[in-house]
Amino acid sequence: MELLGIHHVNVTVGDMAVARAFYIDRLGLTERTDRPHFPFDGAWIDVGGQQIHLVVGTPRTPDRDHFAMIVGDLDAACEALRLEGIEVSEPRGVATSRQSFLRDPWGNLIELQQVG
């Protein structure tokens, strides 16, 4: 078996309009147009060459479960998020990289990673 990478991460959200406002309007990601018709509300979002699948349901509040997005300039990303009123942790070094964390409106943990 040859695993080639991550295709998508599924994130459970409580309200699709609020999710679109956060992930698309505030984080600046792009909604895909190729989501199949499912009997539940959701949206497929582009993140570079990967996807986040937003699905309406009952979210949980994880402490460690998260997904990470690569950013080119972590300090600039944190500053832009704070200007949007989004709380984000101070960047910290991990090995040769740097990371910060934020939460979406349902408490899902998101990591921003600047690869060193």
Side-chain angles (χ1 to χ4, degrees):
M1 175 172 62
E2 180 184 10
L3 301 175
L4 303 176
I6 294 174
H7 179 270
H8 72 272
V9 173
N10 189 86
V11 177
T12 303
V13 298
D15 180 286
M16 189 49 45
V18 174
R20 280 188 174 97
F22 181 80
Y23 285 94
I24 295 168
D25 299 339
R26 297 181 83 192
L27 294 186
L29 302 176
T30 304
E31 186 168 357
R32 300 173 59 91
T33 59
D34 61 345
R35 180 180 181 265
H37 177 72
F38 288 116
F40 52 85
D41 201 6
W44 289 182
I45 307 293
D46 265 330
V47 183
Q50 293 77 44
Q51 301 174 37
I52 297 172
H53 291 182
L54 303 175
V55 176
V56 174
T58 303
R60 57 194 180 98
T61 305
D63 272 343
R64 295 192 181 265
D65 293 342
H66 68 279
F67 64 93
M69 295 186 284
I70 298 171
V71 296
D73 184 336
L74 184 58
D75 295 310
C78 289
E79 181 179 336
L81 290 168
R82 289 181 181 125
L83 288 174
E84 286 289 327
I86 298 171
E87 289 184 35
V88 59
S89 69
E90 287 298 319
R92 68 180 185 109
V94 176
T96 61
S97 298
R98 297 173 68 228
Q99 64 185 17
S100 289
F101 291 89
L102 62 135
R103 291 192 183 271
D104 75 6
W106 299 276
N108 294 302
L109 190 60
I110 302 168
E111 178 182 340
L112 302 177
Q113 176 87 215
Q114 182 178 338
V115 178

